[in-house]
């Protein structure tokens, strides 16, 4: 495992950031499930599960190649589509959006794709990595207003999620929490109150060197 200094302080600081960033809502019947492209294929599995449960008739897999997946041979959307087909989602229920390189483009490009196809959306479900659910919601509220947005994520606990790559997870969360504030100020996301303990933890982690995805 790729631990960074100091451990376990960094792990517990990350828990505070995680607890704020994870924002999952109850489900309700919707027009579309938007699977937010990333490196975590569990997001695609969760989107497939929601489709099988009947929460929406259509799934959009959105994502080109982002900061973590820039070296992939195929787009995030195609990778997600492989997983969802393997989990029983038929092609007629699946749309691919392969241009988005960030969260804002996930929303705006999906909106454009569905508008072009005449799909009206009054309620949609955003499926993302657990720690990306709140920022996905904040982005959708600004970039696609007038829609009731619900959020869902793979049911993975913080400690289990860290097992994949602890350092990368902490670095990504630090960057995402910073963006909750910076991108709201820039008009890219809807503003949301940030928990003081989570913000202090994010700042401490950045000072400890978990700052790879911090923007200046």
């Amino acid at each position: 495992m790729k631990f960074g200094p100091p451990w376990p302080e960094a792990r517990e600081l990350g828990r505070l950031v995680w607890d704020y960033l994870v924002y999952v809502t109850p489900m309700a019947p919707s027009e579309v499930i938007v699977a937010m492209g990333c490196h975590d294929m569990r997001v695609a599995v969760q989107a497939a599960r929601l489709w099988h449960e009947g929460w929406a008739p259509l799934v959009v897999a959105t994502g080109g190649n982002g900061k973590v997946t820039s070296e992939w041979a195929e787009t995030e959307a195609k990778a997600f589509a492989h997983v969802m087909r393997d989990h029983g989602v038929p092609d007629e229920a699946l749309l691919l959006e392969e241009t988005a390189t960030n969260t804002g483009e996930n929303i705006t490009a999906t909106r454009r794709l569905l508008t072009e196809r005449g799909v009206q959306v009054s309620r949609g479900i955003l499926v993302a990595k657990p720690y990306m659910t709140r920022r996905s919601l904040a982005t959708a509220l600004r970039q696609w207003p007038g829609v009731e947005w619900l959020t869902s994520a793979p049911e993975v606990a913080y400690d289990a999620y860290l097992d994949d790559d602890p350092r990368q997870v902490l670095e990504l969360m630090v960057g995402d929490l910073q963006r909750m504030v910076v991108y709201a100020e820039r008009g890219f996301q809807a503003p949301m109150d940030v928990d003081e303990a989570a913000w202090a933890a994010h700042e401490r982690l950045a000072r400890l060197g978990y700052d790879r995805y911090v923007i200046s």
Side-chain angles (χ1 to χ4, degrees), residues 25-58:
T25 67
M27 292 293 97
S30 304
E31 285 81 35
V32 66
I33 298 164
V34 181
M36 304 287 283
C38 63
H39 64 283
D40 189 344
M41 294 300 107
R42 289 172 293 194
V43 174
V45 175
Q46 177 70 2
R49 184 177 73 82
L50 294 177
W51 182 85
H52 280 291
E53 291 177 354
W55 294 115
L58 181 66

mmCIF file of all heavy atoms in Angstrom, residues 25-58:
data_model
loop_
_atom_site.group_PDB
_atom_site.id
_atom_site.type_symbol
_atom_site.label_atom_id
_atom_site.label_comp_id
_atom_site.label_asym_id
_atom_site.label_seq_id
_atom_site.Cartn_x
_atom_site.Cartn_y
_atom_site.Cartn_z
ATOM 1 N N THR A 25 -28.458 10.399 -1.524
ATOM 2 C CA THR A 25 -29.861 10.688 -1.262
ATOM 3 C C THR A 25 -30.713 9.434 -1.439
ATOM 4 O O THR A 25 -30.297 8.473 -2.093
ATOM 5 C CB THR A 25 -30.382 11.761 -2.230
ATOM 6 O OG1 THR A 25 -30.404 11.222 -3.562
ATOM 7 C CG2 THR A 25 -29.509 13.007 -2.187
ATOM 8 N N PRO A 26 -31.927 9.437 -0.911
ATOM 9 C CA PRO A 26 -32.874 8.375 -1.258
ATOM 10 C C PRO A 26 -33.180 8.403 -2.751
ATOM 11 O O PRO A 26 -33.102 9.446 -3.396
ATOM 12 C CB PRO A 26 -34.116 8.722 -0.426
ATOM 13 C CG PRO A 26 -33.620 9.610 0.665
ATOM 14 C CD PRO A 26 -32.486 10.383 0.081
ATOM 15 N N MET A 27 -33.524 7.254 -3.291
ATOM 16 C CA MET A 27 -33.864 7.150 -4.701
ATOM 17 C C MET A 27 -35.349 7.421 -4.937
ATOM 18 O O MET A 27 -36.180 7.264 -4.050
ATOM 19 C CB MET A 27 -33.503 5.767 -5.229
ATOM 20 C CG MET A 27 -32.002 5.477 -5.300
ATOM 21 S SD MET A 27 -31.114 6.479 -6.528
ATOM 22 C CE MET A 27 -30.464 7.810 -5.473
ATOM 23 N N ALA A 28 -35.646 7.839 -6.161
ATOM 24 C CA ALA A 28 -37.022 8.046 -6.610
ATOM 25 C C ALA A 28 -37.043 7.830 -8.117
ATOM 26 O O ALA A 28 -35.999 7.963 -8.779
ATOM 27 C CB ALA A 28 -37.499 9.457 -6.257
ATOM 28 N N PRO A 29 -38.197 7.491 -8.696
ATOM 29 C CA PRO A 29 -38.267 7.280 -10.141
ATOM 30 C C PRO A 29 -37.757 8.495 -10.917
ATOM 31 O O PRO A 29 -38.122 9.634 -10.613
ATOM 32 C CB PRO A 29 -39.759 7.041 -10.382
ATOM 33 C CG PRO A 29 -40.247 6.473 -9.090
ATOM 34 C CD PRO A 29 -39.483 7.200 -8.020
ATOM 35 N N SER A 30 -36.907 8.259 -11.892
ATOM 36 C CA SER A 30 -36.228 9.318 -12.626
ATOM 37 C C SER A 30 -36.210 8.987 -14.116
ATOM 38 O O SER A 30 -36.555 7.875 -14.525
ATOM 39 C CB SER A 30 -34.787 9.461 -12.107
ATOM 40 O OG SER A 30 -34.773 9.689 -10.703
ATOM 41 N N GLU A 31 -35.812 9.978 -14.910
ATOM 42 C CA GLU A 31 -35.711 9.747 -16.357
ATOM 43 C C GLU A 31 -34.363 9.164 -16.763
ATOM 44 O O GLU A 31 -34.259 8.479 -17.787
ATOM 45 C CB GLU A 31 -35.938 11.056 -17.124
ATOM 46 C CG GLU A 31 -37.377 11.508 -17.193
ATOM 47 C CD GLU A 31 -37.809 12.236 -15.922
ATOM 48 O OE1 GLU A 31 -36.971 12.941 -15.331
ATOM 49 O OE2 GLU A 31 -38.988 12.084 -15.524
ATOM 50 N N VAL A 32 -33.307 9.469 -15.998
ATOM 51 C CA VAL A 32 -31.973 9.057 -16.436
ATOM 52 C C VAL A 32 -31.062 8.814 -15.243
ATOM 53 O O VAL A 32 -31.179 9.470 -14.202
ATOM 54 C CB VAL A 32 -31.357 10.123 -17.369
ATOM 55 C CG1 VAL A 32 -31.087 11.434 -16.633
ATOM 56 C CG2 VAL A 32 -30.092 9.606 -18.047
ATOM 57 N N ILE A 33 -30.171 7.862 -15.402
ATOM 58 C CA ILE A 33 -29.061 7.614 -14.483
ATOM 59 C C ILE A 33 -27.795 8.086 -15.190
ATOM 60 O O ILE A 33 -27.509 7.643 -16.312
ATOM 61 C CB ILE A 33 -28.936 6.122 -14.133
ATOM 62 C CG1 ILE A 33 -30.199 5.625 -13.423
ATOM 63 C CG2 ILE A 33 -27.686 5.850 -13.297
ATOM 64 C CD1 ILE A 33 -30.325 4.106 -13.401
ATOM 65 N N VAL A 34 -27.058 8.985 -14.572
ATOM 66 C CA VAL A 34 -25.825 9.507 -15.157
ATOM 67 C C VAL A 34 -24.647 8.909 -14.394
ATOM 68 O O VAL A 34 -24.414 9.231 -13.229
ATOM 69 C CB VAL A 34 -25.774 11.045 -15.099
ATOM 70 C CG1 VAL A 34 -24.487 11.558 -15.750
ATOM 71 C CG2 VAL A 34 -26.998 11.649 -15.770
ATOM 72 N N ALA A 35 -23.918 8.028 -15.057
ATOM 73 C CA ALA A 35 -22.748 7.394 -14.448
ATOM 74 C C ALA A 35 -21.541 8.280 -14.730
ATOM 75 O O ALA A 35 -21.068 8.376 -15.869
ATOM 76 C CB ALA A 35 -22.539 5.995 -15.030
ATOM 77 N N MET A 36 -21.044 8.931 -13.682
ATOM 78 C CA MET A 36 -19.979 9.923 -13.800
ATOM 79 C C MET A 36 -18.641 9.214 -13.983
ATOM 80 O O MET A 36 -18.128 8.559 -13.071
ATOM 81 C CB MET A 36 -19.957 10.810 -12.564
ATOM 82 C CG MET A 36 -21.280 11.500 -12.261
ATOM 83 S SD MET A 36 -21.647 12.833 -13.412
ATOM 84 C CE MET A 36 -20.576 14.111 -12.782
ATOM 85 N N GLY A 37 -18.068 9.361 -15.174
ATOM 86 C CA GLY A 37 -16.858 8.637 -15.523
ATOM 87 C C GLY A 37 -15.695 8.880 -14.580
ATOM 88 O O GLY A 37 -15.496 9.990 -14.082
ATOM 89 N N CYS A 38 -14.919 7.832 -14.338
ATOM 90 C CA CYS A 38 -13.770 7.890 -13.438
ATOM 91 C C CYS A 38 -13.000 6.582 -13.588
ATOM 92 O O CYS A 38 -13.322 5.754 -14.441
ATOM 93 C CB CYS A 38 -14.212 8.099 -11.988
ATOM 94 S SG CYS A 38 -15.222 6.749 -11.345
ATOM 95 N N HIS A 39 -12.007 6.367 -12.728
ATOM 96 C CA HIS A 39 -11.217 5.144 -12.785
ATOM 97 C C HIS A 39 -11.828 4.002 -11.993
ATOM 98 O O HIS A 39 -11.324 2.878 -12.050
ATOM 99 C CB HIS A 39 -9.810 5.419 -12.241
ATOM 100 C CG HIS A 39 -9.806 5.810 -10.794
ATOM 101 N ND1 HIS A 39 -10.172 7.078 -10.357
ATOM 102 C CD2 HIS A 39 -9.492 5.108 -9.678
ATOM 103 C CE1 HIS A 39 -10.069 7.126 -9.038
ATOM 104 N NE2 HIS A 39 -9.669 5.958 -8.604
ATOM 105 N N ASP A 40 -12.909 4.255 -11.266
ATOM 106 C CA ASP A 40 -13.498 3.273 -10.354
ATOM 107 C C ASP A 40 -14.684 2.573 -11.024
ATOM 108 O O ASP A 40 -15.768 3.152 -11.142
ATOM 109 C CB ASP A 40 -13.940 3.970 -9.070
ATOM 110 C CG ASP A 40 -14.370 2.995 -7.980
ATOM 111 O OD1 ASP A 40 -14.617 1.808 -8.298
ATOM 112 O OD2 ASP A 40 -14.481 3.418 -6.817
ATOM 113 N N MET A 41 -14.479 1.346 -11.443
ATOM 114 C CA MET A 41 -15.524 0.614 -12.147
ATOM 115 C C MET A 41 -16.709 0.249 -11.250
ATOM 116 O O MET A 41 -17.772 -0.136 -11.744
ATOM 117 C CB MET A 41 -14.946 -0.661 -12.772
ATOM 118 C CG MET A 41 -13.935 -0.397 -13.874
ATOM 119 S SD MET A 41 -14.623 0.543 -15.278
ATOM 120 C CE MET A 41 -13.851 2.153 -15.014
ATOM 121 N N ARG A 42 -16.547 0.394 -9.944
ATOM 122 C CA ARG A 42 -17.684 0.153 -9.053
ATOM 123 C C ARG A 42 -18.809 1.152 -9.290
ATOM 124 O O ARG A 42 -19.976 0.869 -8.991
ATOM 125 C CB ARG A 42 -17.214 0.197 -7.593
ATOM 126 C CG ARG A 42 -16.354 -1.000 -7.196
ATOM 127 C CD ARG A 42 -15.741 -0.855 -5.831
ATOM 128 N NE ARG A 42 -14.752 0.213 -5.790
ATOM 129 C CZ ARG A 42 -13.876 0.385 -4.801
ATOM 130 N NH1 ARG A 42 -13.883 -0.438 -3.759
ATOM 131 N NH2 ARG A 42 -12.998 1.378 -4.832
ATOM 132 N N VAL A 43 -18.471 2.320 -9.824
ATOM 133 C CA VAL A 43 -19.508 3.296 -10.175
ATOM 134 C C VAL A 43 -20.404 2.729 -11.273
ATOM 135 O O VAL A 43 -21.636 2.860 -11.220
ATOM 136 C CB VAL A 43 -18.870 4.626 -10.607
ATOM 137 C CG1 VAL A 43 -19.925 5.607 -11.119
ATOM 138 C CG2 VAL A 43 -18.096 5.243 -9.441
ATOM 139 N N ALA A 44 -19.808 2.094 -12.262
ATOM 140 C CA ALA A 44 -20.593 1.479 -13.336
ATOM 141 C C ALA A 44 -21.459 0.350 -12.805
ATOM 142 O O ALA A 44 -22.619 0.183 -13.221
ATOM 143 C CB ALA A 44 -19.665 0.966 -14.433
ATOM 144 N N VAL A 45 -20.927 -0.432 -11.885
ATOM 145 C CA VAL A 45 -21.712 -1.522 -11.283
ATOM 146 C C VAL A 45 -22.910 -0.956 -10.538
ATOM 147 O O VAL A 45 -24.037 -1.481 -10.636
ATOM 148 C CB VAL A 45 -20.831 -2.365 -10.341
ATOM 149 C CG1 VAL A 45 -21.677 -3.415 -9.623
ATOM 150 C CG2 VAL A 45 -19.710 -3.039 -11.120
ATOM 151 N N GLN A 46 -22.702 0.132 -9.805
ATOM 152 C CA GLN A 46 -23.804 0.752 -9.070
ATOM 153 C C GLN A 46 -24.861 1.307 -10.014
ATOM 154 O O GLN A 46 -26.071 1.167 -9.773
ATOM 155 C CB GLN A 46 -23.271 1.868 -8.166
ATOM 156 C CG GLN A 46 -24.333 2.649 -7.390
ATOM 157 C CD GLN A 46 -24.990 1.830 -6.295
ATOM 158 O OE1 GLN A 46 -24.630 0.666 -6.067
ATOM 159 N NE2 GLN A 46 -25.946 2.411 -5.606
ATOM 160 N N ALA A 47 -24.424 1.921 -11.113
ATOM 161 C CA ALA A 47 -25.386 2.432 -12.095
ATOM 162 C C ALA A 47 -26.216 1.293 -12.676
ATOM 163 O O ALA A 47 -27.444 1.419 -12.844
ATOM 164 C CB ALA A 47 -24.653 3.183 -13.199
ATOM 165 N N ALA A 48 -25.577 0.171 -12.971
ATOM 166 C CA ALA A 48 -26.300 -0.996 -13.482
ATOM 167 C C ALA A 48 -27.304 -1.508 -12.455
ATOM 168 O O ALA A 48 -28.434 -1.880 -12.804
ATOM 169 C CB ALA A 48 -25.313 -2.099 -13.860
ATOM 170 N N ARG A 49 -26.909 -1.520 -11.203
ATOM 171 C CA ARG A 49 -27.816 -1.993 -10.151
ATOM 172 C C ARG A 49 -29.054 -1.111 -10.067
ATOM 173 O O ARG A 49 -30.189 -1.615 -9.968
ATOM 174 C CB ARG A 49 -27.099 -2.010 -8.798
ATOM 175 C CG ARG A 49 -27.944 -2.590 -7.665
ATOM 176 C CD ARG A 49 -27.171 -2.655 -6.356
ATOM 177 N NE ARG A 49 -26.983 -1.350 -5.773
ATOM 178 C CZ ARG A 49 -27.902 -0.717 -5.038
ATOM 179 N NH1 ARG A 49 -29.092 -1.279 -4.829
ATOM 180 N NH2 ARG A 49 -27.643 0.459 -4.529
ATOM 181 N N LEU A 50 -28.859 0.201 -10.145
ATOM 182 C CA LEU A 50 -30.007 1.118 -10.078
ATOM 183 C C LEU A 50 -30.923 0.923 -11.286
ATOM 184 O O LEU A 50 -32.150 1.022 -11.163
ATOM 185 C CB LEU A 50 -29.514 2.563 -10.001
ATOM 186 C CG LEU A 50 -28.750 2.942 -8.737
ATOM 187 C CD1 LEU A 50 -28.254 4.382 -8.841
ATOM 188 C CD2 LEU A 50 -29.614 2.783 -7.481
ATOM 189 N N TRP A 51 -30.331 0.661 -12.458
ATOM 190 C CA TRP A 51 -31.158 0.406 -13.633
ATOM 191 C C TRP A 51 -31.985 -0.861 -13.430
ATOM 192 O O TRP A 51 -33.196 -0.871 -13.714
ATOM 193 C CB TRP A 51 -30.278 0.264 -14.878
ATOM 194 C CG TRP A 51 -31.084 0.050 -16.124
ATOM 195 C CD1 TRP A 51 -31.656 1.009 -16.914
ATOM 196 C CD2 TRP A 51 -31.454 -1.217 -16.688
ATOM 197 N NE1 TRP A 51 -32.356 0.423 -17.939
ATOM 198 C CE2 TRP A 51 -32.246 -0.947 -17.828
ATOM 199 C CE3 TRP A 51 -31.189 -2.535 -16.347
ATOM 200 C CZ2 TRP A 51 -32.770 -1.953 -18.621
ATOM 201 C CZ3 TRP A 51 -31.711 -3.541 -17.145
ATOM 202 C CH2 TRP A 51 -32.488 -3.255 -18.266
ATOM 203 N N HIS A 52 -31.378 -1.914 -12.940
ATOM 204 C CA HIS A 52 -32.111 -3.159 -12.696
ATOM 205 C C HIS A 52 -33.211 -2.971 -11.659
ATOM 206 O O HIS A 52 -34.263 -3.633 -11.737
ATOM 207 C CB HIS A 52 -31.155 -4.263 -12.259
ATOM 208 C CG HIS A 52 -30.404 -4.905 -13.378
ATOM 209 N ND1 HIS A 52 -31.007 -5.707 -14.328
ATOM 210 C CD2 HIS A 52 -29.086 -4.863 -13.708
ATOM 211 C CE1 HIS A 52 -30.108 -6.128 -15.198
ATOM 212 N NE2 HIS A 52 -28.935 -5.643 -14.844
ATOM 213 N N GLU A 53 -32.990 -2.085 -10.708
ATOM 214 C CA GLU A 53 -34.014 -1.820 -9.696
ATOM 215 C C GLU A 53 -35.149 -0.960 -10.231
ATOM 216 O O GLU A 53 -36.154 -0.758 -9.542
ATOM 217 C CB GLU A 53 -33.375 -1.157 -8.479
ATOM 218 C CG GLU A 53 -32.451 -2.100 -7.694
ATOM 219 C CD GLU A 53 -31.761 -1.419 -6.535
ATOM 220 O OE1 GLU A 53 -31.901 -0.175 -6.388
ATOM 221 O OE2 GLU A 53 -31.071 -2.116 -5.771
ATOM 222 N N GLY A 54 -34.999 -0.442 -11.444
ATOM 223 C CA GLY A 54 -36.088 0.272 -12.094
ATOM 224 C C GLY A 54 -36.189 1.752 -11.784
ATOM 225 O O GLY A 54 -37.228 2.359 -12.046
ATOM 226 N N TRP A 55 -35.108 2.359 -11.297
ATOM 227 C CA TRP A 55 -35.192 3.774 -10.929
ATOM 228 C C TRP A 55 -35.188 4.690 -12.142
ATOM 229 O O TRP A 55 -35.649 5.840 -12.054
ATOM 230 C CB TRP A 55 -34.060 4.138 -9.979
ATOM 231 C CG TRP A 55 -34.169 3.455 -8.649
ATOM 232 C CD1 TRP A 55 -33.328 2.531 -8.118
ATOM 233 C CD2 TRP A 55 -35.227 3.620 -7.685
ATOM 234 N NE1 TRP A 55 -33.772 2.108 -6.887
ATOM 235 C CE2 TRP A 55 -34.943 2.765 -6.600
ATOM 236 C CE3 TRP A 55 -36.377 4.400 -7.635
ATOM 237 C CZ2 TRP A 55 -35.768 2.667 -5.484
ATOM 238 C CZ3 TRP A 55 -37.211 4.310 -6.517
ATOM 239 C CH2 TRP A 55 -36.894 3.457 -5.468
ATOM 240 N N ALA A 56 -34.674 4.229 -13.282
ATOM 241 C CA ALA A 56 -34.713 5.015 -14.517
ATOM 242 C C ALA A 56 -34.548 4.063 -15.701
ATOM 243 O O ALA A 56 -33.875 3.031 -15.580
ATOM 244 C CB ALA A 56 -33.605 6.076 -14.537
ATOM 245 N N PRO A 57 -35.146 4.398 -16.855
ATOM 246 C CA PRO A 57 -35.067 3.496 -18.014
ATOM 247 C C PRO A 57 -33.796 3.664 -18.836
ATOM 248 O O PRO A 57 -33.533 2.853 -19.730
ATOM 249 C CB PRO A 57 -36.287 3.906 -18.841
ATOM 250 C CG PRO A 57 -36.465 5.362 -18.522
ATOM 251 C CD PRO A 57 -36.072 5.524 -17.083
ATOM 252 N N LEU A 58 -33.019 4.707 -18.555
ATOM 253 C CA LEU A 58 -31.887 5.055 -19.404
ATOM 254 C C LEU A 58 -30.660 5.338 -18.545
ATOM 255 O O LEU A 58 -30.769 5.975 -17.493
ATOM 256 C CB LEU A 58 -32.233 6.298 -20.236
ATOM 257 C CG LEU A 58 -31.180 6.822 -21.213
ATOM 258 C CD1 LEU A 58 -30.933 5.813 -22.326
ATOM 259 C CD2 LEU A 58 -31.637 8.163 -21.799
#
